[in-house]
Amino acid sequence: MNFISQLDESFRKNANPEFAAQMKSYLKDNFELYGLKTKLRREVLKPLAEKNRLEIRDTIRTLTFDLYDFKQREMHLSAIELFEKQLRKVYQKEDIIYIEKLITTNSWWDSVDFIAKQILGKYLILHPNETEKVIRRFSNAENMWLNRSSIIFQLGYKENTNKELLFNQCLAHKDSKEFFIQKAIGWALREYGRYNPKDVLEFVSKNDLKPLSKREAIRKLIG
């Protein structure tokens, strides 16, 4: 029995139909679930990943999308965590193809936010010369989740955030009617505001952001 079969079997053994129904509703009926809370899912995943570490290491790019083919959300979340763990320090330039597919497949905030910050953000640290091209393409895409990723990918950059790029992305999408875009703008500005509150407050005051974006951006920056 290979890793994926073992994982599916173990998740089924730990399934909680009542919690699965609750989470399915919370996720707007976009996914099926086994019904494992995050802590338990990771506790089940960890020893199986260790046991099958060579298989995972050698097949991570195909294995990730084999997991993505399942209907259950726990498989998708496990896939992106394994992808990130295996490749975080060794992303190849062409891995952006896989990263884009991860963002645009089985998309919802719980996966996209992890991918944008932990995977896309770290990929672009390793390949900084790709940043302008990738973010421009994601920002101009018709896919809303790529747009969101282009705004929030610097969440882990702290004081190393490219301020000009962040502000330009916020301006590019400031008129969006999408809740997830408005929220992303506010979130990205608020996080950067922890390191540069003066410039963030000035940016918000000078630009006509949507009320949600503005409220989220400054709610921890003003008394």
Side-chain angles (χ1 to χ4, degrees):
M1 184 183 297
N2 65 16
F3 167 70
I4 292 178
S5 298
Q6 294 173 43
L7 188 62
D8 178 42
E9 181 180 277
S10 294
F11 280 172
R12 290 183 185 279
K13 287 180 178 178
N14 288 276
N16 183 331
E18 182 177 352
F19 182 66
Q22 294 173 7
M23 287 303 298
K24 184 176 180 180
S25 177
Y26 177 67
L27 295 173
K28 307 296 185 184
D29 294 329
N30 284 308
F31 309 102
E32 299 296 327
L33 295 103
Y34 300 100
L36 281 71
K37 294 183 179 181
T38 300
K39 184 175 184 293
L40 177 58
R41 175 179 64 77
R42 288 174 175 163
E43 287 174 350
V44 173
L45 172 62
K46 185 176 180 179
L48 291 177
E50 177 61 24
K51 177 183 175 182
N52 295 278
R53 62 186 182 281
L54 295 182
E55 177 190 347
I56 293 170
R57 183 198 67 187
D58 294 342
T59 65
I60 185 60
R61 291 169 177 84
T62 55
L63 181 145
T64 295
F65 291 99
D66 287 341
L67 289 168
Y68 248 44
D69 286 339
F70 278 74
K71 296 180 179 180
Q72 289 87 353
R73 193 56 169 167
E74 292 92 343
M75 286 297 212
H76 308 159
L77 299 178
S78 297
I80 61 177
E81 289 175 6
L82 290 169
F83 186 91
E84 189 277 332
K85 183 177 181 180
Q86 289 292 316
L87 299 176
R88 62 177 64 151
K89 296 180 179 180
V90 294
Y91 289 117
Q92 302 300 306
K93 182 178 175 180
E94 56 270 20
D95 282 331
I96 192 61
I97 297 170
Y98 299 108
I99 295 170
E100 181 172 354
K101 186 176 179 180
L102 285 173
I103 293 170
T104 57
T105 307
N106 300 323
S107 307
W108 199 243
W109 66 264
D110 59 335
S111 60
V112 170
D113 291 358
F114 180 92
I115 298 163
K117 178 182 178 180
Q118 301 296 343
I119 298 179
L120 176 62
K122 292 178 181 177
Y123 166 87
L124 291 173
I125 289 174
L126 286 180
H127 299 282
N129 291 337
E130 295 297 297
T131 301
E132 182 180 352
K133 177 177 65 175
V134 169
I135 297 307
R136 182 174 63 249
R137 180 161 58 84
F138 282 17
S139 181
N140 293 330
E142 293 184 3
N143 184 283
M144 184 266 291
W145 298 108
L146 289 175
N147 301 159
R148 180 174 169 93
S149 298
S150 75
I151 298 166
I152 66 172
F153 79 97
Q154 295 191 88
L155 282 174
Y157 286 19
K158 300 180 180 180
E159 65 274 5
N160 295 318
T161 297
N162 182 325
K163 179 181 70 173
E164 181 180 358
L165 179 57
L166 170 61
F167 287 173
N168 285 341
Q169 283 305 111
C170 292
L171 291 175
H173 295 280
K174 72 180 182 65
D175 296 321
S176 174
K177 296 179 181 179
E178 287 281 359
F179 168 83
F180 287 109
I181 297 300
Q182 294 179 23
K183 191 85 169 179
I185 291 171
W187 183 18
L189 290 172
R190 183 176 71 249
E191 285 299 301
Y192 182 51
R194 296 171 59 192
Y195 306 94
N196 190 352
K198 178 180 178 293
D199 284 357
V200 168
L201 288 170
E202 182 179 358
F203 175 81
V204 171
S205 69
K206 289 184 176 180
N207 292 283
D208 186 24
L209 302 179
K210 293 289 187 182
L212 174 59
S213 297
K214 181 176 181 178
R215 185 167 65 249
E216 286 294 313
I218 67 176
R219 67 181 173 88
K220 291 187 178 181
L221 301 181
I222 58 175

